[in-house]
């Protein structure tokens, strides 16, 4: 018995080692460069996690089809090693440690969501391996002085800020003061949405607007009718919603059901939540901020124009009526890697990091140029409006393809 | 059990624990998590196994400890409210000495804060019996996560970015690895001693027949509260360590992961065999290995596998590994069944 | 918070809206809670997978809607499928935990809840879904009060289901056997009742009732694979407050919870809506405990 127990203990310890110490795949396998990513396949972010993964995969496929990347005279293919972080930051941190120290991966693509990226950033920083992320927009990622974190997307405080500016513009056009605009806010109580809210509050201060409602939605929200009833009672001029895909879906449904009649409604993640497919007319004239739109006139040597990318994506993956920007920016992150490798002409993470920092390129997703802090400063957020079931860019005016419909007409069904 | 036996089992574990980060540097993080899991299972067993009170919400103290230490560490060099409200917008300069001082204070305080919370809550919670106690504690942990998310001062749902460790990556890894290992050993040794005292006998008496124990003059409520405070103390410390390892504290997923870590505690203890000293340790090691293996090889199905494991364990194998061994070889344990088949 | 109360005072129509919405959703809570009360009362199993049964029923209705069949057909479909599923779970798991201590059933069903949530996620994806009934939305007082017809219909259907279950329990052989078993299982066995079958039927009936509640929820609210736990908690709140074997109490508590959740969300802000449910659970438990204390003192 004693011997048995001792053996059991040692066996467990040994088993732990063997089970987990899977053969470390080097950062470069023969002629393949391995990028690592811990991303959400399960849990609450998995919808967008999968959109992002599809974007990564399409980018990798395209780069490989076009001959891969040339590093110092040798050609390499790209491959991504994924783990599922289950939408929890806890797991993200663990998995990155694992990718770095066990699997020997030295180049990273980001996870999905600000919360998980917040957990990932200190770890890539600690091991001095660069990460190009495409899905973590929180401002707090870019004021910690991280040197190894780069983001291709615009930061979250810009998400709904343009809708505040638009509301002010419209108010003045109608002979009202911008400071009279009443704003109602419903934001999910999580790092990303709270960051969006912070950006909105700053812009409201600029115009002197007041918030008549400032509700935070619980994370497992399945009902915001109480908040929306408040909206009906207080009659704001602008309603802002942010809560990832589930917030958008729940919001759209209950706005329809309660016939919330606000002249202007803006919410994040419309495309990802497929609101047009699911709610049809009810979401007409909603404003949806987007990092990217297929109608924009961006181009690159890999995909051609934004519209070409859109076509290719729909042909590659089934069931997409609109290509979510989450996928587009994921692809852009892969392009940044490809570009950086070929400019670094070395596989040394330090040199590649410097090459990424010096990035200044045009992609189908927009310009990419990183600030000292690592966020992309070469690309604006645009605001699209759902007009008869299609997403049309209405702001900022430089990119607008359609005039904005105002006030919103609530469909009477 | 005799000392010869304990040498046989303690020594290899100790050697493994000390050598692991150097032998398997890639697994350092997982093994540190393993020690936290061992601590979880051990502390859960104080109540569940030894006292017959099955809590589903002990993770509550893990979160309390995590927040307590976060607040104390930040309060060293900044105003907590301002620090969290700025969502990391203020960059705080602090010296290494400040960081370590905060860390030591935070870890110590987290244990005491959690223990005090347990003691205070004991007066209300211990009136609940059986399943009501389990559901009540589950509700407590869930409510804590929700309410922390509404408390602006500690960052609300946005969470807190912890102060960054001033040393190198390797130094941070090793520091926290050995801290978790030490915490697990400390828990084990303390419980081993506690179970040998009159206190251990008293909580066993509560498990076996609370009314009789009361009639015998055991002040049951006091004993129950102290037992809970003991497990809360160590859980609080593990929370403080974990918050620093992750570097990011937020209410629902990091501090109060009720449906993951909170349930793992129970599952691990049952797997190893509850009411024994070594059962939780074995169960935690086995469970952690299975968990990491399923996460690697059954991506997407890992939760199904874990849920199945819990069901099968509970339904068909309730006595756990230690229980099964005791049934099979009682003479090897040289025990009468009431004894805790730990080390004697 | 004070402002919000003032809004309600100034425009009572909104409190009508909130109360109505609360009642509509509360009816489905009551239904699921009644299922829990059955299983708890008859076989002493605390089913923590209750909420996942609800969500599974919701997905059945939603899936039918996807196939172009009206999701209302999801109601009978969910009842039948979930009944079969409940039977399967009984035979594989629940049968073996009935005679064990109470904590066992709690933990086993928690494991089941984890497996179900993840299974639904693998089958249907993690998005928030709703089944479109395409019924009209009525409104009055210039849109300040809106009532979706489907909500009214769901409310009525919940009522009809409840009445059917009650009649079944009172009149049918099986119902009588269930009640007899609940009162005294051993005596029932002596009288020749096959208690194993009674238990199996009770558990399956519970799953079917939950499935029905879920089918309604998918049409009037939203479903998502991981929402099960909050529905489970709601059921526990209701049953603990009302006690089992007390159908009117369960219905009142269910409707009350729906209303409290909605009004609370309005008054305190939406971020407290989940916390209110869990907080109520704690309050109810403590209140029960005080009651028990009183009882104990009376006896001693």
């Amino acid at each position: 018995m004693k011997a048995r127990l001792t053996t059991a203990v040692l066996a467990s310890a040994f088993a732990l080692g063997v089970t987990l110490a899977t053969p470390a795949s080097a950062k470069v396998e023969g002629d393949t460069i391995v990028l690592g990513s811990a991303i959400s396949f399960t849990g609450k972010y998995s919808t967008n996690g999968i959109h992002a993964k599809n974007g990564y995969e399409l980018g990798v496929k395209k780069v490989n089809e076009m001959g891969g990347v040339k590093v110092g005279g040798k050609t390499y293919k790209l491959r991504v090693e994924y783990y599922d972080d289950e939408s929890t930051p806890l797991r993200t941190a663990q998995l990155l440690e694992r990718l770095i120290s066990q699997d020997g991966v030295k180049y990273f693509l980001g996870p999905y969501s600000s919360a998980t990226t917040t957990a990932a950033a200190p770890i890539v920083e600690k091991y001095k391996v660069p990460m190009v992320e495409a899905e973590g927009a929180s401002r707090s990622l870019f004021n910690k002085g991280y040197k190894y974190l780069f983001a291709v997307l615009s930061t979250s405080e810009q998400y709904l800020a343009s809708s505040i500016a638009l509301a002010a513009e419209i108010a003045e056009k109608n002979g009202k003061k911008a400071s009279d605009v009443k704003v109602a806010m419903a934001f999910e109580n999580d790092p990303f949405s709270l960051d969006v809210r912070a950006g909105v509050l700053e812009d409201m201060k600029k115009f002197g607007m007041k918030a008549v409602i400032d509700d935070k939605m619980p994370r497992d929200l399945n009902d915001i009718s109480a908040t929306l009833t408040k909206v009906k009672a207080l009659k704001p001029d602008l309603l802002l919603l942010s809560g990832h895909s589930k917030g958008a879906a729940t919001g759209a449904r209950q706005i329809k059901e309660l016939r919330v009649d606000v002249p202007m409604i803006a919410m994040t993640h419309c495309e990802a939540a497929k609101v047009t497919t699911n709610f049809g007319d009810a979401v007409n004239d909603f404003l949806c901020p987007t990092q990217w739109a297929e109608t924009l006139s961006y181009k690159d040597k890999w995909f051609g124009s934004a519209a070409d990318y859109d076509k290719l994506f729909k042909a590659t993956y089934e069931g997409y009526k609109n290509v979510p920007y989450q996928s587009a920016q994921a692809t852009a992150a892969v392009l940044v890697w490809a570009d950086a490798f070929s400019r670094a002409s070395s596989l040394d993470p330090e040199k590649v990091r410097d090459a990424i920092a010096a990035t200044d390129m045009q992609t189908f997703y927009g310009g990419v140029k990183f600030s000292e802090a690592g966020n992309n400063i070469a690309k604006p957020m645009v605001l699209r409006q759902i007009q008869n079931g299609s997403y049309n860019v209405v702001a900022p005016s430089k990119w607008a393809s359609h005039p904005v419909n105002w006030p919103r007409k609530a469909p009477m069904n | 059990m005799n000392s010869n036996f304990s040498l046989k089992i303690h020594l290899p574990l100790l050697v493994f624990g000390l050598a692991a980060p150097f032998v398997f540097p890639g697994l350092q993080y997982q093994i540190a998590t393993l020690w936290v899991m061992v601590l979880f299972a051990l502390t859960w067993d104080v109540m569940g196994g030894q006292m017959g009170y099955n809590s589903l919400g002990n993770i509550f103290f893990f979160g309390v400890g995590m927040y307590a230490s976060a607040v104390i560490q930040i309060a060293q060099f900044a105003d907590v409210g301002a620090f969290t409200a700025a969502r990391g917008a203020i960059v705080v300069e602090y010296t290494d000495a400040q960081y370590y001082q905060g860390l030591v204070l935070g870890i110590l305080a987290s244990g005491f804060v959690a223990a005090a919370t347990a003691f205070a809550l004991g007066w209300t919670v211990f009136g609940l019996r059986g399943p009501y106690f389990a559901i009540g504690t589950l509700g407590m942990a869930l409510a804590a996560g929700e309410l922390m998310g509404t408390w602006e001062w500690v960052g609300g749902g946005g969470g807190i970015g912890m102060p960054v460790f001033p040393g190198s990556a390797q130094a941070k890894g090793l520091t926290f690895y050995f801290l978790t290992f030490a915490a697990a050993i400390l828990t084990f040794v303390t419980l081993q001693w506690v179970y040998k005292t009159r206190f251990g006998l008293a909580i066993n008496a509560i498990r076996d027949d609370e009314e009789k124990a009361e009639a015998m003059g055991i002040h049951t409520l006091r004993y129950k509260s102290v037992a809970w405070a003991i497990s809360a103390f160590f859980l609080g410390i593990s929370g403080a360590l974990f918050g620093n390892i992750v570097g990011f504290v937020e209410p629902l997923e990091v501090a109060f992961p009720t449906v993951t870590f909170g349930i793992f505690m129970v599952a691990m203890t049952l797997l190893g065999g509850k009411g024994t000293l070594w059962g939780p340790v074995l169960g935690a090691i086995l469970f952690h290995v299975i968990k990491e293996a399923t996460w690697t090889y059954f991506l997407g199905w890992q939760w199904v596998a874990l849920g199945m494991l819990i069901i099968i364990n509970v339904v068909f194998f309730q006595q756990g590994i230690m229980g099964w061994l005791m049934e099979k070889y009682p003479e090897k344990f040289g025990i009468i069944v009431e004894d805790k088949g730990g080390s004697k | 918070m004070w402002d919000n109360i003032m809004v309600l005072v100034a425009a009572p129509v909104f409190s009508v809206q909130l109360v109505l919405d609360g009642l509509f959703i509360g009816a489905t809570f009551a239904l699921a809670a009644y299922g829990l009360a059955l299983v708890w009362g008859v076989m002493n199993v605390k089913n923590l997978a209750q909420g996942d049964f609800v969500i599974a029923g919701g997905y059945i209705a939603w899936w039918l809607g996807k196939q172009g069949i009206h999701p209302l057909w999801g109601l009978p479909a969910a009842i039948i499928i979930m009944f079969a599923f409940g039977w399967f779970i009984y035979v594989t798991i629940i049968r073996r935990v009935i005679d064990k201590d109470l904590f066992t059933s709690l933990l086993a069903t928690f494991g089941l809840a984890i497996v179900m949530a993840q299974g639904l996620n693998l089958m249907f994806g993690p998005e928030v879904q709703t089944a479109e009934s395409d019924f009209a939305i009525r409104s009055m007082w210039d849109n300040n009060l809106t009532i979706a017809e489907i909500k009214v219909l769901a409310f009525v259907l919940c009522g009809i289901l409840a009445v059917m279950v009650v009649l079944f329990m009172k009149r049918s052989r099986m119902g009588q056997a269930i009640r007899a078993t609940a009162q005294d299982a051993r005596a029932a066995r002596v009288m020749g009742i096959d208690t194993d079958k009674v238990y199996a039927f009770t558990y399956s009936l519970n799953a079917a009732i939950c499935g029905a509640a879920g089918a309604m929820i998918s049409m009037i609210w939203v479903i998502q694979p991981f929402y099960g736990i909050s529905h489970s908690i709601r059921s526990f709140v209701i049953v603990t407050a009302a006690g089992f074997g007390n159908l009117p109490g369960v219905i009142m508590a269910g409707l009350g919870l729906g209303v409290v959740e909605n009004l609370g969300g309005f008054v305190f802000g939406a971020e407290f809506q989940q916390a209110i449910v869990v907080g109520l659970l704690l309050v109810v438990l403590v209140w029960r405990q005080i009651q028990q204390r009183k009882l104990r003192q009376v006896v001693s």
Side-chain angles (χ1 to χ4, degrees):
Chain A
M1 167 61 229
K2 290 166 199 166
R4 243 174 242 257
L5 211 45
T6 316
T7 328
V9 173
L10 274 176
S12 319
F14 182 69
L16 185 75
V18 173
T19 339
L20 306 182
T22 40
S25 57
K27 57 191 193 247
V28 179
E29 297 169 342
D31 59 354
T32 306
I33 295 173
V34 181
L35 303 168
S37 177
I39 198 151
S40 312
F41 297 141
T42 54
K44 60 175 188 294
Y45 297 140
S46 51
T47 313
N48 289 315
I50 288 161
H51 291 328
K53 175 181 182 254
N54 289 343
Y56 288 150
E57 288 296 298
L58 190 61
V60 166
K61 196 171 135 209
K62 193 78 186 177
V63 170
N64 289 347
E65 274 171 12
M66 295 182 58
V69 291
K70 265 208 179 53
V71 186
K74 189 165 181 250
T75 314
Y76 292 92
K77 293 263 187 282
L78 296 177
R79 186 169 72 76
V80 187
E81 179 105 24
Y82 297 103
Y83 281 118
D84 173 17
D85 69 10
E86 296 174 340
S87 314
T88 81
L90 213 61
R91 199 73 202 153
T92 312
Q94 283 183 3
L95 292 170
L96 279 186
E97 292 262 3
R98 178 177 181 151
L99 275 161
I100 295 168
S101 44
Q102 238 174 290
D103 304 349
V105 174
K106 294 275 190 290
Y107 324 110
F108 284 87
L109 290 162
Y112 176 81
S113 95
S114 295
T116 47
T117 311
T118 306
I123 291 170
V124 293
E125 196 65 22
K126 167 171 124 174
Y127 288 98
K128 300 198 168 15
V129 291
M131 174 161 91
V132 179
E133 61 105 345
E135 313 288 347
S138 204
R139 240 185 338 173
S140 52
L141 287 164
F142 308 104
N143 53 21
K144 298 227 173 26
Y146 292 136
K147 286 268 165 292
Y148 292 84
L149 174 79
F150 301 94
V152 295
L153 75 177
S154 309
T155 44
S156 52
E157 79 278 4
Q158 303 172 43
Y159 270 59
L160 287 169
S162 47
S163 61
I164 297 281
L166 187 64
E169 205 178 300
I170 289 172
E172 275 162 4
K173 207 161 41 189
N174 295 330
K176 290 204 189 81
K177 285 212 295 289
S179 58
D180 291 341
V181 175
K182 287 186 298 185
V183 186
M185 303 191 280
F187 288 93
E188 189 186 351
N189 197 5
D190 83 329
F192 166 79
S193 296
L194 291 178
D195 227 42
V196 177
R197 176 174 166 266
V200 167
L201 288 177
E202 262 169 46
D203 275 60
M204 281 167 56
K205 214 187 288 170
K206 238 186 309 196
F207 292 108
M209 294 179 188
K210 299 171 288 298
V212 288
I213 296 172
D214 181 5
D215 263 12
K216 298 193 187 70
M217 308 185 272
R219 264 182 252 196
D220 36 5
L221 81 163
N222 38 25
D223 180 24
I224 54 168
S225 58
T227 301
L228 292 176
T229 305
K230 217 179 290 182
V231 169
K232 284 168 73 170
L234 299 172
K235 297 199 174 24
D237 306 297
L238 169 62
L239 168 61
L240 300 174
L241 264 163
S242 168
H244 293 280
S245 304
K246 61 180 191 299
T250 311
R253 160 154 209 159
Q254 297 193 316
I255 285 170
K256 170 185 169 180
E257 202 157 75
L258 291 167
R259 294 214 170 140
V260 176
D261 190 9
V262 177
M264 201 169 153
I265 296 181
M267 59 163 66
T268 61
H269 296 80
C270 307
E271 302 88 340
K274 303 197 168 111
V275 292
T276 47
T277 322
N278 291 337
F279 306 103
D281 285 350
V283 296
N284 239 349
D285 294 347
F286 277 23
L287 293 161
C288 309
T290 182
Q291 294 273 3
W292 172 82
E294 68 278 7
T295 54
L296 300 173
S297 53
Y298 302 131
K299 275 198 190 57
D300 67 33
K301 63 174 188 197
W302 287 281
F303 287 97
S305 69
D308 294 340
Y309 175 84
D310 186 72
K311 272 207 273 305
L312 178 67
F313 191 92
K314 284 175 183 161
T316 313
Y317 300 105
E318 273 175 29
Y320 282 99
K321 201 175 143 190
N322 286 309
V323 176
Y325 64 79
Q326 285 83 354
S327 302
Q329 58 206 25
T331 305
V334 175
L335 299 184
V336 169
W337 269 116
D339 173 70
F341 275 125
S342 53
R343 278 186 296 106
S345 57
S346 153
L347 289 170
D348 173 47
E350 226 27 67
K351 292 211 169 69
V352 183
R353 185 254 153 216
D354 295 339
I356 297 172
T359 300
D360 185 359
M361 65 193 287
Q362 283 302 319
T363 70
F364 75 94
Y365 171 73
V368 180
K369 189 174 179 1
F370 299 115
S371 72
E372 266 310 285
N375 56 319
N376 184 3
I377 45 176
K379 176 190 91 63
M381 283 295 282
V382 292
L383 198 59
R384 293 196 288 186
Q385 187 166 44
I386 301 175
Q387 297 175 340
N388 301 324
S390 55
Y391 288 92
N392 299 327
V393 179
V394 294
S397 36
K398 183 185 166 193
W399 303 100
S401 60
H402 291 67
V404 63
N405 290 343
W406 188 92
R408 172 175 176 266
K409 283 181 277 304
M412 287 298 173
N413 49 344
Chain B
M1 296 194 196
N2 52 31
S3 59
N4 176 14
F5 167 80
S6 79
L7 260 187
K8 270 192 176 157
I9 196 162
H10 284 142
L11 210 60
L13 263 180
L14 196 66
V15 169
F16 172 75
L18 290 175
F22 306 105
V23 181
F24 307 110
L27 291 174
Q28 186 179 296
Y29 191 84
Q30 271 101 326
I31 300 173
T33 314
L34 170 69
W35 300 130
V36 174
M37 292 291 154
V38 168
L39 187 150
F40 278 174
L42 280 166
T43 53
W44 188 84
D45 200 50
V46 176
M47 308 263 306
Q50 303 286 347
M51 211 170 76
Y53 270 78
N54 298 307
S55 157
L56 286 178
N58 271 7
I59 196 73
F60 171 73
F61 302 111
F62 174 79
V64 167
M66 195 183 286
Y67 268 103
S69 91
V71 165
I72 287 165
Q73 281 171 265
I74 290 165
Q76 286 283 309
F77 45 75
D79 174 66
V80 179
F83 185 89
T84 53
R87 312 197 29 69
I90 45 175
V91 179
V92 183
E93 292 297 327
Y94 48 90
T95 60
D96 292 6
Q98 263 183 328
Y99 176 85
Y100 289 116
Q101 183 187 334
L103 185 67
V104 172
L105 272 179
I107 291 171
L108 286 177
S110 64
F112 288 108
V113 171
T117 319
F119 202 81
L121 282 170
W123 303 100
T124 40
V125 177
F126 284 116
L128 305 169
R129 293 293 161 88
Y132 289 109
F133 179 79
I135 297 164
T137 45
L138 177 69
M140 195 177 80
L142 289 170
E146 291 288 343
L147 290 172
M148 271 298 186
T150 62
W151 190 7
E152 292 289 328
W153 190 68
V154 291
I160 305 174
M162 293 293 282
V164 184
F165 187 82
S168 72
Q170 282 67 23
K172 177 182 174 180
L174 284 177
T175 307
F176 283 104
Y177 174 86
F178 285 115
L179 280 172
T180 54
F181 188 45
I185 291 179
L186 184 67
T187 311
F188 183 87
V189 173
T190 310
L191 293 183
Q192 193 175 25
W193 169 73
V194 164
Y195 293 161
K196 277 185 190 151
T197 59
R198 274 183 57 89
F199 184 86
L201 289 174
I203 58 175
N204 287 167
I206 291 173
R207 174 187 63 195
D208 299 334
D209 190 337
E210 191 163 341
E211 270 66 32
K212 250 188 216 128
E214 184 91 56
M216 301 272 290
I218 297 176
H219 195 308
T220 52
L221 181 59
R222 199 176 299 161
Y223 275 96
K224 287 189 282 189
S225 296
V226 170
W228 213 23
I230 291 173
S231 55
F233 179 81
F234 294 114
L235 278 169
I237 287 179
S238 70
L241 293 174
F242 218 87
N244 278 292
I245 292 174
V246 176
F248 173 61
V249 176
E250 70 76 36
L252 285 179
E253 279 139 15
V254 182
F256 299 97
T258 313
V259 288
T260 50
F261 284 5
I263 299 302
F264 290 173
M265 291 184 189
V266 189
M268 291 185 295
T269 314
L270 285 185
L271 185 64
K274 63 184 204 177
T276 61
L277 188 63
W278 280 102
V281 181
L282 283 180
I285 293 172
L286 197 61
F287 189 87
H288 193 66
V289 171
I290 293 173
K291 191 175 91 196
E292 289 297 327
T294 49
W295 250 267
T296 311
Y297 302 111
F298 296 103
L299 199 59
W301 289 87
Q302 66 269 47
W303 277 107
V304 177
L306 275 189
M308 290 287 196
L309 177 72
I310 293 174
I311 296 172
I312 290 165
N313 182 201
V314 169
V315 175
F316 300 100
F317 193 59
Q318 258 227 312
Q319 75 275 45
I321 298 166
M322 286 303 275
W324 175 78
L325 285 173
M326 279 189 202
E327 265 172 42
K328 219 165 150 68
Y329 313 98
E331 72 286 356
K332 300 271 187 197
F333 286 79
I335 47 161
I336 339 143
V337 181
E338 289 83 33
D339 194 32
K340 312 145 295 295
S343 28
K344 262 264 152 79
Chain C
M1 174 180 142
W2 187 241
D3 300 348
N4 294 330
I5 296 174
M6 289 323 291
V7 168
L8 290 183
V9 174
V13 57
F14 293 113
S15 24
V16 175
Q17 174 84 61
L18 288 169
V19 169
L20 275 179
D21 276 337
L23 289 176
F24 289 143
I25 195 66
T28 60
F29 296 167
L31 210 53
Y34 180 62
L36 180 68
L38 255 182
V39 171
W40 193 326
V42 175
M43 48 212 282
N44 214 351
V45 166
K46 322 265 174 303
N47 188 26
L48 261 178
Q50 200 73 358
D52 298 272
F53 286 173
V54 171
I55 299 293
Y59 270 106
I60 292 168
W62 171 81
W63 188 82
L64 284 178
K66 274 289 220 220
Q67 310 311 311
I69 301 162
H70 197 281
L72 269 177
W73 289 107
L75 190 62
I79 290 175
I80 294 162
I81 295 172
M82 290 311 290
F83 189 90
F85 181 76
W87 198 282
F88 168 74
I89 294 296
Y90 175 81
V91 172
T92 47
I93 300 172
I94 308 296
R95 172 185 284 163
R96 297 179 171 81
V97 300
I98 284 188
D99 48 2
K100 299 228 172 77
D101 67 299
L102 301 167
F103 184 66
T104 306
S105 68
L106 208 57
L107 200 61
T109 50
F110 204 102
L112 175 64
I114 291 177
V115 174
M116 280 185 73
Q118 202 55 43
L120 290 170
N121 184 28
L122 289 167
M123 279 195 284
F124 301 110
E127 293 93 342
V128 165
Q129 302 289 11
T130 93
E132 275 308 322
S133 60
D134 289 324
F135 284 11
I137 298 167
R138 311 246 160 214
S139 55
M140 40 204 111
W141 287 301
D142 98 66
N143 262 352
N144 279 337
L145 182 65
T146 55
I147 297 171
E149 283 179 1
I150 183 69
K151 286 190 172 179
V152 180
L153 184 65
F155 190 80
V156 172
L157 285 172
C158 283
I160 292 173
L161 275 171
V163 170
M164 274 164 64
V165 172
V166 169
L167 285 177
F168 170 82
M169 286 300 216
K170 280 224 163 41
R171 299 285 155 84
S172 70
R173 279 301 286 157
M174 191 45 137
Q176 285 165 349
I178 290 176
R179 283 186 303 147
T181 310
Q183 277 165 13
D184 189 341
R186 197 181 299 163
R189 263 194 292 277
V190 171
M191 303 302 283
I193 292 175
D194 180 354
T195 48
D196 187 51
K197 194 169 265 174
V198 167
Y199 288 151
F201 189 90
T202 309
Y203 197 80
S204 313
L205 182 65
N206 167 45
I209 292 174
C210 285
M216 318 271 199
I217 286 176
S218 74
M219 287 180 277
I220 65 175
W221 245 19
V222 288
I223 50 168
Q224 200 245 355
F226 303 99
Y227 284 168
I229 180 90
S230 52
H231 284 290
S232 294
I233 296 284
R234 286 187 183 104
S235 289
F236 273 90
V237 173
I238 295 164
V239 175
T240 319
F244 33 89
N246 170 7
L247 184 57
V250 167
I251 290 175
M252 290 311 296
L255 296 175
L257 180 65
V259 173
V260 166
E261 225 181 278
N262 241 348
L263 279 174
F266 187 97
V267 172
F268 298 110
E271 72 245 55
F272 285 95
Q273 204 155 330
Q274 289 291 328
I276 288 169
V277 181
V278 191
L280 270 177
L281 175 69
L282 297 178
V283 169
V284 164
L285 282 169
V286 170
W287 171 66
R288 284 259 143 193
Q289 185 198 327
I290 291 167
Q291 276 195 315
Q292 279 179 340
R293 277 232 179 108
K294 275 192 191 137
L295 282 177
R296 262 187 238 163
Q297 278 162 356
V298 170
V299 174
S300 57

